[in-house]
Amino acid sequence: MKKSVVVVGYGGQGGWHANHALKSDVVTLKGIYDIKEERNQAARDAGIFVYDSFEAILADKDIDIVVCATPNDAHLDIVVRSLLSGKNVVCEKPVALSLEDFDAMCDAAKQAGKLFTVHQNRRWDVDFLAIKSIIESGAIGETINIESRVHGSRGIPSDWRCHKQYGGGMVLDWGVHLIDQMLQLIPEKITKVYCELNNITTDEVDDGMHLMLTFESGKRATVEVGTYNFIYMPRFYMQCKTGSTLIEDWQKKCKIAKMKAWNEKEVMPVQTAAGITKTMAPRDEITLDTYEIERPVSDVHDFYRNLVKAIDGVEAPIVKQAEVRRVLQVMLACFESHEKNQALIFPEGF
Ligand code: NAD
C-alpha cells in the first residue's frame, strides 16, 4: 500500500513534493499546510486537502511521512514535532542552520523510532552521476582534483533567500548540493577548508562562494557557486592520474581525454604572443584518446522509492544522517574560514 505524505510549506518546493506525491507509484498525497492563506487556497483550488493548522497534522495518526518544505529557519520545529508525533520526516535542504539543531532533529528521530532523512535530490543529477561513474570505473585512474561549479547571472533570488534570518545565501541554497555531491565523489576525511564568499549584489548574505577542500590523501576539490557570471564556466572538471574529464553544462555529455602514453616523440609547439611553447601545447591522438560518454540514466523519484523501502526496513536510506551532518560541518567551516580570512586545518580530519 502507498504511504501517505503531508507537505508542510506549499511554496515552490512544497509544490514539487505535492505534485510528485500525486503521481507517485509509492506514496500518495494526503494534504498540505502553509502559514499563508493564499497558498492554502491555491492547494484547495488544485483539489488538495488543506489542514487547518500544523497541530492538526500532528494530531492525525494516519500520516506516514511529513515533508518539511518551509524556508530554512523554520525546519527545526516542524521536523522535531512531526517526528515526536510519530511521523517519518523528509526535510528539505539545507536541513538546519547549526549542528545543535541538526542533532536535536536526529535525537527526536531516535526517540520516536522514526525515519528522518533530507531531500538531497541532486544526488540524482546526471552530470554528477557521470563523474561518479568515471571515478568508479577507474577509466582515467585515481582522482587528483575535482572542480564543481554552478553559475547564474541574476544575483540571489529576492525572496527569503536574500535574508540572513531565514537562512538565506548561496552556501546554504546551492553550496549544500555541490558539497553533498563532492563528499560522495571523494569519500575521504577533509583536512583543510578554505572559503571566500561573495557579496556583489547584497551585503546581508553571500551571493556566491569559492570553496577549496583538501582531503586526507591529498585529493583536492573546488566548489564554486556564482550568481553574477555572464559567461558559463564548466559544470564539472576533473583531473585524474591518467586523464581529464569535462562537463560543460547540465545539457552536455561528459568529455574524457585519456592518456595512452606519457612520453611523446615529437611535440608541436604553439605560438603565443611572447613566443612558442611546448610545455603548454596540446597533445595529439598518438598519446591521447578523446571521447564522450553517454549521459547516465537517472530518475529523481527514486528518492521516494528508497524512502518507502527504508521506512519498511528493506533498504538503508540513500541520504544518511551522518552524511548530512558532514555537509553541514563543511558549510559552517565555509562561514568561519571566510570570516577569519584563513584556511581551517583539521589535523585529524573529519
Ligand atoms: P518558498 O518561499 O517558495 O516556499 C516556502 C513556503 O513555506 C511558503 O509558502 C511559506 O508561506 C511557507 N511557510 C513558511 N513558514 C512556514 C511554517 N512555519 N509552516 C508552514 N508553512 C510555512 O520556498 P521554497 O523555494 O519552496 O523553499 C522551501 C525549502 O525547500 C527551503 O528549505 C529550500 O532550501 C528548499 N528547496 C529545495 C530544493 C531542492 O532542489 N531540493 C529546491 C528549492 C527549494
PDB file of all heavy atoms in Angstrom, residues 8-14 33-36 39 69-72 75 78 92-94 119 121 160-161 173 177, ligand 1:
ATOM      1  N   VAL A   8       4.393  20.255   4.477  1.00  0.00           N
ATOM      2  CA  VAL A   8       4.283  21.496   5.258  1.00  0.00           C
ATOM      3  C   VAL A   8       5.123  22.550   4.540  1.00  0.00           C
ATOM      4  O   VAL A   8       6.328  22.376   4.369  1.00  0.00           O
ATOM      5  CB  VAL A   8       4.775  21.289   6.702  1.00  0.00           C
ATOM      6  CG1 VAL A   8       4.662  22.603   7.497  1.00  0.00           C
ATOM      7  CG2 VAL A   8       3.995  20.179   7.379  1.00  0.00           C
ATOM      8  N   GLY A   9       4.460  23.644   4.158  1.00  0.00           N
ATOM      9  CA  GLY A   9       5.124  24.673   3.341  1.00  0.00           C
ATOM     10  C   GLY A   9       4.811  24.375   1.891  1.00  0.00           C
ATOM     11  O   GLY A   9       5.438  23.513   1.267  1.00  0.00           O
ATOM     12  N   TYR A  10       3.784  25.052   1.341  1.00  0.00           N
ATOM     13  CA  TYR A  10       3.334  24.762  -0.031  1.00  0.00           C
ATOM     14  C   TYR A  10       3.769  25.896  -0.953  1.00  0.00           C
ATOM     15  O   TYR A  10       2.987  26.577  -1.581  1.00  0.00           O
ATOM     16  CB  TYR A  10       1.812  24.577  -0.026  1.00  0.00           C
ATOM     17  CG  TYR A  10       1.216  24.107  -1.327  1.00  0.00           C
ATOM     18  CD1 TYR A  10       1.552  22.881  -1.876  1.00  0.00           C
ATOM     19  CD2 TYR A  10       0.292  24.907  -2.006  1.00  0.00           C
ATOM     20  CE1 TYR A  10       0.991  22.466  -3.076  1.00  0.00           C
ATOM     21  CE2 TYR A  10      -0.274  24.489  -3.206  1.00  0.00           C
ATOM     22  CZ  TYR A  10       0.081  23.268  -3.740  1.00  0.00           C
ATOM     23  OH  TYR A  10      -0.477  22.850  -4.928  1.00  0.00           O
ATOM     24  N   GLY A  11       5.094  26.107  -1.007  1.00  0.00           N
ATOM     25  CA  GLY A  11       5.653  27.106  -1.937  1.00  0.00           C
ATOM     26  C   GLY A  11       6.207  26.382  -3.147  1.00  0.00           C
ATOM     27  O   GLY A  11       5.681  25.339  -3.560  1.00  0.00           O
ATOM     28  N   GLY A  12       7.305  26.906  -3.681  1.00  0.00           N
ATOM     29  CA  GLY A  12       7.900  26.300  -4.877  1.00  0.00           C
ATOM     30  C   GLY A  12       8.236  24.836  -4.668  1.00  0.00           C
ATOM     31  O   GLY A  12       7.764  23.955  -5.399  1.00  0.00           O
ATOM     32  N   GLN A  13       9.011  24.532  -3.660  1.00  0.00           N
ATOM     33  CA  GLN A  13       9.484  23.163  -3.485  1.00  0.00           C
ATOM     34  C   GLN A  13       8.408  22.271  -2.859  1.00  0.00           C
ATOM     35  O   GLN A  13       8.319  21.089  -3.187  1.00  0.00           O
ATOM     36  CB  GLN A  13      10.775  23.160  -2.646  1.00  0.00           C
ATOM     37  CG  GLN A  13      11.503  21.847  -2.623  1.00  0.00           C
ATOM     38  CD  GLN A  13      11.975  21.380  -4.006  1.00  0.00           C
ATOM     39  OE1 GLN A  13      11.884  22.094  -5.008  1.00  0.00           O
ATOM     40  NE2 GLN A  13      12.463  20.162  -4.070  1.00  0.00           N
ATOM     41  N   GLY A  14       7.583  22.847  -1.975  1.00  0.00           N
ATOM     42  CA  GLY A  14       6.448  22.084  -1.427  1.00  0.00           C
ATOM     43  C   GLY A  14       5.518  21.667  -2.566  1.00  0.00           C
ATOM     44  O   GLY A  14       4.978  20.558  -2.563  1.00  0.00           O
ATOM     45  N   TYR A  33      -0.122  21.943   4.351  1.00  0.00           N
ATOM     46  CA  TYR A  33      -0.423  23.079   5.233  1.00  0.00           C
ATOM     47  C   TYR A  33       0.628  24.159   4.993  1.00  0.00           C
ATOM     48  O   TYR A  33       1.829  23.870   4.888  1.00  0.00           O
ATOM     49  CB  TYR A  33      -0.406  22.672   6.723  1.00  0.00           C
ATOM     50  CG  TYR A  33      -0.487  23.886   7.600  1.00  0.00           C
ATOM     51  CD1 TYR A  33      -1.659  24.646   7.644  1.00  0.00           C
ATOM     52  CD2 TYR A  33       0.607  24.306   8.356  1.00  0.00           C
ATOM     53  CE1 TYR A  33      -1.717  25.802   8.418  1.00  0.00           C
ATOM     54  CE2 TYR A  33       0.554  25.447   9.125  1.00  0.00           C
ATOM     55  CZ  TYR A  33      -0.617  26.202   9.140  1.00  0.00           C
ATOM     56  OH  TYR A  33      -0.676  27.340   9.886  1.00  0.00           O
ATOM     57  N   ASP A  34       0.159  25.400   4.896  1.00  0.00           N
ATOM     58  CA  ASP A  34       1.067  26.540   4.739  1.00  0.00           C
ATOM     59  C   ASP A  34       0.561  27.646   5.666  1.00  0.00           C
ATOM     60  O   ASP A  34      -0.646  27.772   5.904  1.00  0.00           O
ATOM     61  CB  ASP A  34       1.057  27.024   3.270  1.00  0.00           C
ATOM     62  CG  ASP A  34       2.251  27.901   2.938  1.00  0.00           C
ATOM     63  OD1 ASP A  34       2.334  29.044   3.457  1.00  0.00           O
ATOM     64  OD2 ASP A  34       3.107  27.457   2.155  1.00  0.00           O
ATOM     65  N   ILE A  35       1.498  28.457   6.179  1.00  0.00           N
ATOM     66  CA  ILE A  35       1.030  29.547   7.053  1.00  0.00           C
ATOM     67  C   ILE A  35       0.367  30.673   6.240  1.00  0.00           C
ATOM     68  O   ILE A  35      -0.321  31.504   6.803  1.00  0.00           O
ATOM     69  CB  ILE A  35       2.157  30.164   7.935  1.00  0.00           C
ATOM     70  CG1 ILE A  35       3.416  30.393   7.119  1.00  0.00           C
ATOM     71  CG2 ILE A  35       2.443  29.335   9.172  1.00  0.00           C
ATOM     72  CD1 ILE A  35       4.414  31.293   7.798  1.00  0.00           C
ATOM     73  N   LYS A  36       0.576  30.672   4.932  1.00  0.00           N
ATOM     74  CA  LYS A  36      -0.038  31.723   4.099  1.00  0.00           C
ATOM     75  C   LYS A  36      -1.349  31.213   3.516  1.00  0.00           C
ATOM     76  O   LYS A  36      -1.363  30.196   2.807  1.00  0.00           O
ATOM     77  CB  LYS A  36       0.896  32.105   2.944  1.00  0.00           C
ATOM     78  CG  LYS A  36       1.972  33.074   3.325  1.00  0.00           C
ATOM     79  CD  LYS A  36       2.631  33.621   2.053  1.00  0.00           C
ATOM     80  CE  LYS A  36       3.983  34.190   2.396  1.00  0.00           C
ATOM     81  NZ  LYS A  36       4.980  33.935   1.379  1.00  0.00           N
ATOM     82  N   ARG A  39      -1.589  30.411  -0.209  1.00  0.00           N
ATOM     83  CA  ARG A  39      -1.007  29.137  -0.655  1.00  0.00           C
ATOM     84  C   ARG A  39      -1.980  27.984  -0.344  1.00  0.00           C
ATOM     85  O   ARG A  39      -2.108  27.048  -1.128  1.00  0.00           O
ATOM     86  CB  ARG A  39       0.353  28.880   0.028  1.00  0.00           C
ATOM     87  CG  ARG A  39       1.432  29.875  -0.342  1.00  0.00           C
ATOM     88  CD  ARG A  39       1.641  29.972  -1.852  1.00  0.00           C
ATOM     89  NE  ARG A  39       1.933  28.675  -2.459  1.00  0.00           N
ATOM     90  CZ  ARG A  39       1.605  28.338  -3.705  1.00  0.00           C
ATOM     91  NH1 ARG A  39       0.956  29.194  -4.478  1.00  0.00           N
ATOM     92  NH2 ARG A  39       1.910  27.146  -4.180  1.00  0.00           N
ATOM     93  N   ALA A  69       8.982  21.652   3.830  1.00  0.00           N
ATOM     94  CA  ALA A  69       9.476  22.444   2.686  1.00  0.00           C
ATOM     95  C   ALA A  69       9.265  23.938   2.956  1.00  0.00           C
ATOM     96  O   ALA A  69       8.836  24.686   2.087  1.00  0.00           O
ATOM     97  CB  ALA A  69       8.772  22.012   1.407  1.00  0.00           C
ATOM     98  N   THR A  70       9.568  24.329   4.181  1.00  0.00           N
ATOM     99  CA  THR A  70       9.468  25.743   4.564  1.00  0.00           C
ATOM    100  C   THR A  70      10.837  26.402   4.370  1.00  0.00           C
ATOM    101  O   THR A  70      11.842  25.700   4.168  1.00  0.00           O
ATOM    102  CB  THR A  70       9.072  25.853   6.044  1.00  0.00           C
ATOM    103  OG1 THR A  70      10.088  25.192   6.803  1.00  0.00           O
ATOM    104  CG2 THR A  70       7.724  25.210   6.310  1.00  0.00           C
ATOM    105  N   PRO A  71      10.927  27.728   4.469  1.00  0.00           N
ATOM    106  CA  PRO A  71      12.256  28.357   4.441  1.00  0.00           C
ATOM    107  C   PRO A  71      13.169  27.751   5.517  1.00  0.00           C
ATOM    108  O   PRO A  71      12.694  27.188   6.519  1.00  0.00           O
ATOM    109  CB  PRO A  71      11.946  29.831   4.705  1.00  0.00           C
ATOM    110  CG  PRO A  71      10.558  30.005   4.146  1.00  0.00           C
ATOM    111  CD  PRO A  71       9.837  28.733   4.471  1.00  0.00           C
ATOM    112  N   ASN A  72      14.454  27.906   5.331  1.00  0.00           N
ATOM    113  CA  ASN A  72      15.443  27.149   6.109  1.00  0.00           C
ATOM    114  C   ASN A  72      15.372  27.358   7.622  1.00  0.00           C
ATOM    115  O   ASN A  72      15.644  26.444   8.389  1.00  0.00           O
ATOM    116  CB  ASN A  72      16.844  27.493   5.603  1.00  0.00           C
ATOM    117  CG  ASN A  72      16.998  27.186   4.131  1.00  0.00           C
ATOM    118  OD1 ASN A  72      16.245  26.371   3.590  1.00  0.00           O
ATOM    119  ND2 ASN A  72      17.945  27.821   3.463  1.00  0.00           N
ATOM    120  N   HIS A  75      12.737  24.953   9.755  1.00  0.00           N
ATOM    121  CA  HIS A  75      12.758  23.489   9.667  1.00  0.00           C
ATOM    122  C   HIS A  75      12.705  22.816  11.045  1.00  0.00           C
ATOM    123  O   HIS A  75      12.019  21.817  11.225  1.00  0.00           O
ATOM    124  CB  HIS A  75      14.024  23.005   8.944  1.00  0.00           C
ATOM    125  CG  HIS A  75      14.051  23.336   7.479  1.00  0.00           C
ATOM    126  ND1 HIS A  75      15.151  23.111   6.675  1.00  0.00           N
ATOM    127  CD2 HIS A  75      13.111  23.873   6.649  1.00  0.00           C
ATOM    128  CE1 HIS A  75      14.892  23.489   5.430  1.00  0.00           C
ATOM    129  NE2 HIS A  75      13.670  23.976   5.399  1.00  0.00           N
ATOM    130  N   ILE A  78       9.293  22.123  12.971  1.00  0.00           N
ATOM    131  CA  ILE A  78       8.406  21.236  12.192  1.00  0.00           C
ATOM    132  C   ILE A  78       8.957  19.813  12.182  1.00  0.00           C
ATOM    133  O   ILE A  78       8.219  18.846  12.399  1.00  0.00           O
ATOM    134  CB  ILE A  78       8.245  21.788  10.750  1.00  0.00           C
ATOM    135  CG1 ILE A  78       7.461  23.101  10.798  1.00  0.00           C
ATOM    136  CG2 ILE A  78       7.584  20.775   9.827  1.00  0.00           C
ATOM    137  CD1 ILE A  78       7.567  23.950   9.557  1.00  0.00           C
ATOM    138  N   GLU A  92      13.621  19.367   3.681  1.00  0.00           N
ATOM    139  CA  GLU A  92      14.339  19.951   2.546  1.00  0.00           C
ATOM    140  C   GLU A  92      15.736  20.376   2.992  1.00  0.00           C
ATOM    141  O   GLU A  92      16.010  20.574   4.170  1.00  0.00           O
ATOM    142  CB  GLU A  92      13.551  21.141   1.968  1.00  0.00           C
ATOM    143  CG  GLU A  92      12.725  20.774   0.758  1.00  0.00           C
ATOM    144  CD  GLU A  92      13.540  20.101  -0.364  1.00  0.00           C
ATOM    145  OE1 GLU A  92      14.774  20.236  -0.407  1.00  0.00           O
ATOM    146  OE2 GLU A  92      12.932  19.425  -1.199  1.00  0.00           O
ATOM    147  N   LYS A  93      16.605  20.534   2.002  1.00  0.00           N
ATOM    148  CA  LYS A  93      17.959  21.018   2.261  1.00  0.00           C
ATOM    149  C   LYS A  93      17.925  22.534   2.319  1.00  0.00           C
ATOM    150  O   LYS A  93      17.029  23.112   1.692  1.00  0.00           O
ATOM    151  CB  LYS A  93      18.944  20.531   1.208  1.00  0.00           C
ATOM    152  CG  LYS A  93      18.562  20.697  -0.255  1.00  0.00           C
ATOM    153  CD  LYS A  93      18.070  21.956  -0.864  1.00  0.00           C
ATOM    154  CE  LYS A  93      18.837  23.221  -0.805  1.00  0.00           C
ATOM    155  NZ  LYS A  93      18.213  24.347  -1.552  1.00  0.00           N
ATOM    156  N   PRO A  94      18.820  23.208   2.973  1.00  0.00           N
ATOM    157  CA  PRO A  94      19.766  22.682   3.946  1.00  0.00           C
ATOM    158  C   PRO A  94      18.983  22.366   5.216  1.00  0.00           C
ATOM    159  O   PRO A  94      18.194  23.176   5.692  1.00  0.00           O
ATOM    160  CB  PRO A  94      20.718  23.867   4.180  1.00  0.00           C
ATOM    161  CG  PRO A  94      19.843  25.072   3.986  1.00  0.00           C
ATOM    162  CD  PRO A  94      18.850  24.686   2.931  1.00  0.00           C
ATOM    163  N   HIS A 119      16.193  15.775   1.708  1.00  0.00           N
ATOM    164  CA  HIS A 119      15.980  15.691   0.264  1.00  0.00           C
ATOM    165  C   HIS A 119      17.185  16.260  -0.492  1.00  0.00           C
ATOM    166  O   HIS A 119      17.128  17.342  -1.067  1.00  0.00           O
ATOM    167  CB  HIS A 119      14.693  16.458  -0.100  1.00  0.00           C
ATOM    168  CG  HIS A 119      14.204  16.192  -1.481  1.00  0.00           C
ATOM    169  ND1 HIS A 119      13.794  17.186  -2.342  1.00  0.00           N
ATOM    170  CD2 HIS A 119      14.063  15.031  -2.176  1.00  0.00           C
ATOM    171  CE1 HIS A 119      13.417  16.655  -3.491  1.00  0.00           C
ATOM    172  NE2 HIS A 119      13.556  15.352  -3.417  1.00  0.00           N
ATOM    173  N   ASN A 121      18.319  15.934  -3.407  1.00  0.00           N
ATOM    174  CA  ASN A 121      17.884  15.369  -4.692  1.00  0.00           C
ATOM    175  C   ASN A 121      18.918  15.499  -5.806  1.00  0.00           C
ATOM    176  O   ASN A 121      18.788  14.867  -6.847  1.00  0.00           O
ATOM    177  CB  ASN A 121      16.562  16.019  -5.136  1.00  0.00           C
ATOM    178  CG  ASN A 121      16.613  17.537  -5.086  1.00  0.00           C
ATOM    179  OD1 ASN A 121      17.425  18.102  -4.351  1.00  0.00           O
ATOM    180  ND2 ASN A 121      15.780  18.198  -5.830  1.00  0.00           N
ATOM    181  N   TRP A 160      13.026  35.114   0.579  1.00  0.00           N
ATOM    182  CA  TRP A 160      13.670  34.926   1.882  1.00  0.00           C
ATOM    183  C   TRP A 160      15.149  34.574   1.739  1.00  0.00           C
ATOM    184  O   TRP A 160      15.931  34.743   2.674  1.00  0.00           O
ATOM    185  CB  TRP A 160      12.926  33.850   2.694  1.00  0.00           C
ATOM    186  CG  TRP A 160      12.760  32.541   1.972  1.00  0.00           C
ATOM    187  CD1 TRP A 160      11.701  32.138   1.221  1.00  0.00           C
ATOM    188  CD2 TRP A 160      13.714  31.470   1.910  1.00  0.00           C
ATOM    189  NE1 TRP A 160      11.923  30.891   0.695  1.00  0.00           N
ATOM    190  CE2 TRP A 160      13.142  30.454   1.098  1.00  0.00           C
ATOM    191  CE3 TRP A 160      14.977  31.264   2.454  1.00  0.00           C
ATOM    192  CZ2 TRP A 160      13.808  29.259   0.831  1.00  0.00           C
ATOM    193  CZ3 TRP A 160      15.637  30.071   2.184  1.00  0.00           C
ATOM    194  CH2 TRP A 160      15.057  29.093   1.378  1.00  0.00           C
ATOM    195  N   ARG A 161      15.539  34.107   0.538  1.00  0.00           N
ATOM    196  CA  ARG A 161      16.935  33.689   0.336  1.00  0.00           C
ATOM    197  C   ARG A 161      17.919  34.850   0.463  1.00  0.00           C
ATOM    198  O   ARG A 161      19.111  34.632   0.609  1.00  0.00           O
ATOM    199  CB  ARG A 161      17.088  33.044  -1.041  1.00  0.00           C
ATOM    200  CG  ARG A 161      16.535  31.632  -1.104  1.00  0.00           C
ATOM    201  CD  ARG A 161      16.568  31.133  -2.541  1.00  0.00           C
ATOM    202  NE  ARG A 161      16.119  29.762  -2.648  1.00  0.00           N
ATOM    203  CZ  ARG A 161      14.853  29.390  -2.644  1.00  0.00           C
ATOM    204  NH1 ARG A 161      13.901  30.290  -2.526  1.00  0.00           N
ATOM    205  NH2 ARG A 161      14.525  28.112  -2.739  1.00  0.00           N
ATOM    206  N   ASP A 173      21.975  27.593  -0.077  1.00  0.00           N
ATOM    207  CA  ASP A 173      20.995  27.287  -1.118  1.00  0.00           C
ATOM    208  C   ASP A 173      21.554  26.303  -2.154  1.00  0.00           C
ATOM    209  O   ASP A 173      20.945  25.258  -2.421  1.00  0.00           O
ATOM    210  CB  ASP A 173      20.546  28.593  -1.796  1.00  0.00           C
ATOM    211  CG  ASP A 173      19.240  28.423  -2.544  1.00  0.00           C
ATOM    212  OD1 ASP A 173      18.365  27.685  -2.054  1.00  0.00           O
ATOM    213  OD2 ASP A 173      19.080  29.007  -3.626  1.00  0.00           O
ATOM    214  N   HIS A 177      24.133  21.534  -2.058  1.00  0.00           N
ATOM    215  CA  HIS A 177      24.026  20.457  -3.057  1.00  0.00           C
ATOM    216  C   HIS A 177      25.418  20.050  -3.556  1.00  0.00           C
ATOM    217  O   HIS A 177      25.735  18.881  -3.665  1.00  0.00           O
ATOM    218  CB  HIS A 177      23.238  20.933  -4.281  1.00  0.00           C
ATOM    219  CG  HIS A 177      21.761  21.008  -4.091  1.00  0.00           C
ATOM    220  ND1 HIS A 177      20.997  19.925  -3.724  1.00  0.00           N
ATOM    221  CD2 HIS A 177      20.887  22.037  -4.241  1.00  0.00           C
ATOM    222  CE1 HIS A 177      19.726  20.274  -3.671  1.00  0.00           C
ATOM    223  NE2 HIS A 177      19.626  21.559  -3.974  1.00  0.00           N
TER     224      HIS A 177
HETATM  225  P1  NAD B   1       9.050  29.223  -0.934  1.00  0.00           P
HETATM  226  O1  NAD B   1       9.189  30.569  -0.333  1.00  0.00           O
HETATM  227  O2  NAD B   1       8.654  29.117  -2.367  1.00  0.00           O
HETATM  228  O3  NAD B   1       8.005  28.360  -0.087  1.00  0.00           O
HETATM  229  C1  NAD B   1       8.055  28.250   1.296  1.00  0.00           C
HETATM  230  C2  NAD B   1       6.637  28.144   1.820  1.00  0.00           C
HETATM  231  O4  NAD B   1       6.687  27.818   3.214  1.00  0.00           O
HETATM  232  C3  NAD B   1       5.868  29.470   1.698  1.00  0.00           C
HETATM  233  O5  NAD B   1       4.648  29.259   1.008  1.00  0.00           O
HETATM  234  C4  NAD B   1       5.643  29.893   3.151  1.00  0.00           C
HETATM  235  O6  NAD B   1       4.419  30.587   3.362  1.00  0.00           O
HETATM  236  C5  NAD B   1       5.660  28.557   3.870  1.00  0.00           C
HETATM  237  N1  NAD B   1       5.975  28.616   5.303  1.00  0.00           N
HETATM  238  C6  NAD B   1       6.873  29.398   5.934  1.00  0.00           C
HETATM  239  N2  NAD B   1       6.916  29.108   7.244  1.00  0.00           N
HETATM  240  C7  NAD B   1       6.004  28.118   7.438  1.00  0.00           C
HETATM  241  C8  NAD B   1       5.588  27.399   8.583  1.00  0.00           C
HETATM  242  N3  NAD B   1       6.099  27.623   9.783  1.00  0.00           N
HETATM  243  N4  NAD B   1       4.615  26.461   8.436  1.00  0.00           N
HETATM  244  C9  NAD B   1       4.049  26.236   7.208  1.00  0.00           C
HETATM  245  N5  NAD B   1       4.416  26.889   6.090  1.00  0.00           N
HETATM  246  C10 NAD B   1       5.391  27.813   6.199  1.00  0.00           C
HETATM  247  O7  NAD B   1      10.442  28.484  -0.702  1.00  0.00           O
HETATM  248  P2  NAD B   1      10.969  27.212  -1.494  1.00  0.00           P
HETATM  249  O8  NAD B   1      11.801  27.640  -2.631  1.00  0.00           O
HETATM  250  O9  NAD B   1       9.852  26.271  -1.747  1.00  0.00           O
HETATM  251  O10 NAD B   1      11.971  26.594  -0.402  1.00  0.00           O
HETATM  252  C11 NAD B   1      11.474  25.837   0.672  1.00  0.00           C
HETATM  253  C12 NAD B   1      12.547  24.844   1.133  1.00  0.00           C
HETATM  254  O11 NAD B   1      12.852  23.967   0.055  1.00  0.00           O
HETATM  255  C13 NAD B   1      13.864  25.503   1.530  1.00  0.00           C
HETATM  256  O12 NAD B   1      14.456  24.785   2.575  1.00  0.00           O
HETATM  257  C14 NAD B   1      14.704  25.387   0.263  1.00  0.00           C
HETATM  258  O13 NAD B   1      16.086  25.407   0.504  1.00  0.00           O
HETATM  259  C15 NAD B   1      14.243  24.035  -0.247  1.00  0.00           C
HETATM  260  N6  NAD B   1      14.400  23.854  -1.690  1.00  0.00           N
HETATM  261  C16 NAD B   1      14.974  22.703  -2.118  1.00  0.00           C
HETATM  262  C17 NAD B   1      15.148  22.479  -3.475  1.00  0.00           C
HETATM  263  C18 NAD B   1      15.776  21.204  -3.924  1.00  0.00           C
HETATM  264  O14 NAD B   1      16.085  21.082  -5.111  1.00  0.00           O
HETATM  265  N7  NAD B   1      15.949  20.231  -3.056  1.00  0.00           N
HETATM  266  C19 NAD B   1      14.748  23.452  -4.416  1.00  0.00           C
HETATM  267  C20 NAD B   1      14.148  24.609  -3.936  1.00  0.00           C
HETATM  268  C21 NAD B   1      13.972  24.814  -2.572  1.00  0.00           C
END
